[in-house]
């Protein structure tokens, strides 16, 4: 049994009244407290720009905590313990004088964790102000995405932070890396010799990564319209998944061994040519349609929208990796808002057997698939070919699953939210679930060429009805290669 020790810290949460903090971060800290994973001396300081009394803000944070943790998981004794750790400080992030009170509150804490749930534009200023009040020495800083909107702007943010905090105390969040099933990719690949021997272009024909969301913009138009689905999802979450699937085995589990291998994959991504922009990439934008049986507006009709926007809410693309392991194996990536269901899955399609001996009409279905379901119904399924049963069936083939459903198989364990894992790892000083500067930059470098190409062409995104799997051309993108998206109905 592995036991986990966590050192005490002062956890300073900047942007404590924002959506992310209320929805994800306080509940995650609460769950860690409930699991006995916050040291008894750990203190949490909520920092925000909003005026008003400490009492009023703490009352609001508490009611939001109850709402987001949910009645089923609330334990009053834990709530009480958690609130005893919590205080509120009003801070203008840009005003150095406001940090004096933070330094006093942190007192002689051996370790400060400063979590920036604020726009990236103020990360540099927060770091500078922390340093001015003597809080740079023992502090780990946690940076939320998006870090910049292209390579140049992300470098600026990273450089501003690096003036005060070294890389080994800088934790860049990609919350997908905190998902249990995403970490399971490492276990699946490197704790099972079965797969590694097959994990290359000799045996794998192609890979699909789908991250579909049922929600639309949910009141985030202001942010989302400047970003779009490529920056919001592909640049980070989908490319991280691609890296975990495609990377070579690391020498060990240390943060740098893993990140070195991931960065090699990002650097090996083939740039997409100007012709490729039309044949290999599809941008879409949802129009009015139906979600869960209810009529929903199109992107341009969402509250506060700009009816002229060309921002994409869907991207499908074919990425190629230029190395020995993956030459000739396309990675099809697809992600969108207002899809028919929330579904994140990776499908590894294996090649057909080299010599085929069964009935010719069954040949099309004959390839093994490894389906890794990240959400919902987390699990792994390996589709294998078997013989259909019955005297009348002859040697008729059938594809069936070897199935591992995590919640049924390990029924006692609650699957923790990604942020619980990530906050715990920051407290433990373990960087392997965080993104290194060179990874972010390599990912931006690849995405920037797409953004530049789109800008140059000026083409509008293709419309798709809310509740569908995206524009028709995203189907053409894969059928052109003689394949189809797995499981689309
Ligand atoms: C965030 C994006 O990083 O990930 C959101 O900014 C998106 O637009 C979210 O909805 C999806 O995360 P999850 O964990 O719900 O798949």
């Amino acid at each position: 049994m592995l036991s986990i020790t966590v050192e005490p810290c002062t956890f300073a949460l900047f942007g404590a009244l924002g959506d992310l903090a209320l929805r994800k971060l306080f509940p995650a800290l609460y769950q860690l407290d409930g699991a006995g994973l916050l040291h008894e001396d750990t203190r949490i300081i909520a920092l925000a720009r909003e005026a008003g009394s400490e009492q009023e803000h703490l009352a609001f944070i508490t009611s939001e905590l109850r709402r987001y943790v949910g009645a089923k998981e609330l334990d009053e004794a834990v709530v009480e313990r958690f609130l005893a750790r919590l205080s509120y400080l009003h801070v203008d992030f840009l005003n150095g004088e406001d940090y004096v009170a933070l330094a006093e509150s942190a007192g002689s804490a051996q370790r400060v964790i400063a979590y920036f749930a604020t726009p990236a534009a103020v990360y540099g200023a927060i770091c500078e102000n922390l340093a001015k009040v003597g809080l740079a020495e023992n502090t780990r800083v946690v940076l939320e995405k998006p870090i910049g909107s292209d390579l140049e702007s992300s470098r600026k943010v990273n450089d501003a932070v690096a003036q005060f905090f070294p890389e080994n105390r800088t934790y860049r969040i990609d919350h997908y890396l905190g998902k249990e099933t995403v970490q399971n990719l490492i276990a699946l690949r490197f704790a099972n010799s079965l797969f590694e021997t097959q994990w290359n272009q000799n045996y794998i024909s192609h890979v699909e990564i789908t991250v579909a969301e049922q929600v639309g913009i949910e009141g985030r138009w202001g942010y989302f319209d400047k970003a779009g689905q490529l920056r919001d999802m592909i640049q980070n979450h989908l490319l991280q998944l691609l890296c975990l699937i495609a990377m070579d085995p690391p020498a060990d589990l240390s943060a740098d061994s893993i990140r070195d291998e991931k960065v090699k994959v990002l650097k090996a991504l083939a740039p997409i040519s100007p012709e490729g922009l039309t044949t290999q990439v599809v941008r879409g934008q949802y129009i009015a349609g139906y979600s869960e049986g209810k009529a929903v507006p199109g992107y341009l009709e969402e509250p506060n929208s700009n009816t002229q926007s060309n921002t994409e809410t869907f991207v499908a693309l074919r990425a190629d990796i230029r190395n020995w392991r993956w030459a000739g194996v396309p990675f099809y990536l697809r992600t969108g808002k207002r899809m028919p269901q929330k579904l994140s899955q990776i499908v590894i399609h294996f090649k057909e057997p080299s010599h085929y001996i069964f009935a010719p009409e069954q040949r099309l279905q004959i390839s093994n698939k490894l389906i890794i379901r990240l959400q919902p119904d987390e699990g792994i399924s390996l589709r294998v070919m078997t013989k259909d049963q019955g005297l009348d069936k002859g040697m008729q083939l059938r594809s069936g699953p070897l199935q591992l459903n995590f919640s049924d198989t390990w029924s006692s364990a609650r699957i923790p939210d990604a942020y619980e894992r990530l906050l715990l790892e920051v407290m433990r000083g373990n960087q392997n679930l965080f993104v290194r500067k060179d990874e972010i930059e390599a990912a931006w470098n690849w995405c920037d060429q797409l953004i530049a190409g789109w800008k140059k062409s000026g083409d509008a995104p293709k419309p798709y009805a809310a509740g569908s799997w995206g524009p028709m051309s995203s189907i053409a993108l894969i059928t052109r290669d003689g394949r189809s998206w797995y499981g689309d109905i």
Side-chain angles (χ1 to χ4, degrees):
M1 176 87 182
L2 294 173
S3 72
I4 288 181
T5 49
V6 186
E7 59 174 9
C9 67
T10 292
F11 192 96
L13 175 47
F14 290 82
L17 296 178
D19 182 60
L20 177 75
L22 298 169
R23 217 160 33 87
K24 291 286 184 185
L25 304 177
F26 285 117
L29 288 165
Y30 164 89
Q31 295 288 2
L32 291 179
D33 204 351
L37 291 168
L38 289 190
H39 191 282
E40 58 180 8
D41 294 333
T42 289
R43 297 283 163 266
I44 300 167
I45 306 177
L47 299 132
R49 285 183 285 210
E50 281 78 352
S53 72
E54 175 174 21
Q55 205 185 13
E56 187 187 317
H57 289 309
L58 289 182
F60 176 64
I61 293 173
T62 312
S63 71
E64 293 294 273
L65 178 74
R66 289 180 183 282
R67 170 152 85 113
Y68 287 117
V69 171
K72 249 176 48 200
E73 297 198 17
L74 270 181
D75 174 339
E76 287 308 323
V78 179
V79 175
E80 200 178 312
R81 187 168 75 219
F82 184 74
L83 295 180
R85 304 174 183 277
L86 187 64
S87 57
Y88 177 86
L89 270 183
H90 168 257
V91 171
D92 172 348
F93 302 139
L94 303 181
N95 181 359
E97 282 166 26
D98 283 6
Y99 288 69
V100 176
L102 171 62
E104 279 163 12
S105 290
S108 57
Q110 301 241 317
R111 171 73 63 205
V112 174
I113 293 175
Y115 195 114
F116 303 165
T118 65
V122 295
Y123 291 175
I126 299 179
C127 290
E128 184 177 353
N129 287 326
L130 287 172
K132 275 191 191 148
V133 295
L135 285 179
E137 276 304 292
N138 298 321
T139 299
R140 296 181 185 140
V141 286
V142 189
L143 316 183
E144 254 303 330
K145 78 165 252 280
I147 298 180
S149 55
D150 55 18
L151 178 59
E152 198 189 329
S153 55
S154 91
R155 271 198 183 137
K156 269 194 194 138
V157 175
N158 282 321
D159 289 350
V161 172
Q163 278 188 38
F164 306 97
F165 294 92
E167 186 65 29
N168 67 2
R169 282 194 280 119
T170 302
Y171 292 70
R172 293 180 195 80
I173 295 261
D174 181 317
H175 78 277
Y176 267 55
L177 295 180
K179 289 182 190 272
E180 283 284 302
T181 36
V182 174
Q183 291 164 64
N184 237 318
L185 293 176
I186 302 253
L188 179 78
R189 286 200 52 202
F190 306 125
N192 296 288
S193 54
L194 176 68
F195 296 116
E196 184 49 29
T197 50
Q198 311 279 311
W199 214 255
N200 57 51
Q201 44 88 16
N202 291 324
Y203 298 99
I204 292 179
S205 76
H206 63 290
V207 176
E208 279 177 56
I209 304 179
T210 293
V211 178
E213 295 183 83
Q214 206 167 23
V215 293
I217 294 311
E218 309 294 289
R220 295 198 306 153
W221 224 87
Y223 153 73
F224 188 85
D225 197 56
K226 288 196 207 88
Q229 198 72 356
L230 183 83
R231 292 185 174 96
D232 189 47
M233 298 294 288
I234 301 250
Q235 188 272 342
N236 35 78
H237 308 323
L238 277 92
L239 287 185
Q240 283 293 327
L241 296 177
L242 176 143
C243 284
L244 292 172
I245 293 295
M247 72 194 222
D248 277 351
D252 52 45
L253 272 186
S254 72
D256 278 336
S257 295
I258 293 178
R259 299 188 297 182
D260 286 346
E261 296 306 335
K262 286 198 289 171
V263 120
K264 282 187 211 159
V265 174
L266 291 168
K267 288 187 174 163
L269 283 173
I272 292 186
S273 64
E275 310 79 69
L277 272 182
T278 44
T279 54
Q280 245 178 283
V281 186
V282 174
R283 309 168 71 209
Q285 188 185 71
Y286 65 84
I287 55 174
Y290 287 86
S291 178
E292 294 183 279
K294 282 198 216 107
V296 292
Y299 180 69
L300 300 183
E301 293 128 29
E302 294 278 8
N304 306 319
S305 66
N306 148 18
T307 51
Q308 304 300 313
S309 172
N310 259 350
T311 298
E312 79 285 352
T313 59
F314 173 96
V315 179
L317 58 85
R318 171 191 157 137
D320 294 284
I321 302 174
R322 293 173 302 181
N323 64 20
W324 278 50
R325 189 187 280 268
W326 296 114
V329 181
F331 281 66
Y332 298 98
L333 273 47
R334 172 175 68 156
T335 179
K337 311 277 184 221
R338 283 279 184 239
M339 305 267 94
Q341 62 183 115
K342 183 169 176 73
L343 170 77
S344 301
Q345 79 179 7
I346 299 168
V347 186
I348 315 285
H349 295 258
F350 290 90
K351 288 187 171 166
E352 286 182 18
S354 52
H355 177 58
Y356 182 76
I357 57 173
F358 301 93
E361 66 275 14
Q362 294 191 71
R363 185 157 187 165
L364 268 185
Q365 52 164 319
I366 187 152
S367 78
N368 298 122
K369 293 167 195 63
L370 178 67
I371 300 153
I372 304 160
R373 183 73 79 97
L374 307 175
Q375 55 191 17
D377 309 327
E378 292 84 349
I380 296 168
S381 162
L382 179 64
R383 306 285 310 186
V384 292
M385 300 308 298
T386 58
K387 179 197 159 310
D388 208 353
Q389 283 158 349
L391 291 174
D392 56 333
K393 301 283 169 35
M395 192 41 94
Q396 190 166 315
L397 298 174
R398 197 166 62 166
S399 161
L402 293 179
Q403 192 114 334
L404 173 64
N405 179 297
F406 295 147
S407 68
D408 294 348
T409 311
W410 325 119
S411 54
S412 58
R414 163 185 171 269
I415 297 186
D417 185 74
Y419 278 97
E420 295 170 37
R421 161 68 56 195
L422 294 175
L423 294 182
L424 179 63
E425 297 307 326
V426 179
M427 290 178 199
R428 299 177 68 211
N430 176 7
Q431 286 189 301
N432 68 15
L433 299 181
F434 297 87
V435 187
R436 211 168 53 189
K437 181 169 181 274
D438 52 350
E439 280 181 80
I440 296 244
E441 294 188 355
W444 274 126
N445 193 34
W446 191 74
C447 289
D448 278 1
Q449 36 124 25
L450 291 176
I451 297 168
W454 287 340
K455 210 166 158 190
K456 196 163 164 206
S457 80
D459 291 346
K462 306 251 182 326
Y464 64 97
S468 71
W469 283 107
M472 288 305 284
S473 41
S474 66
I475 298 170
L477 165 86
I478 191 165
T479 46
R480 208 175 289 129
D481 293 346
R483 299 171 174 135
S484 59
W485 295 104
Y486 178 78
D488 272 15
I489 354 117

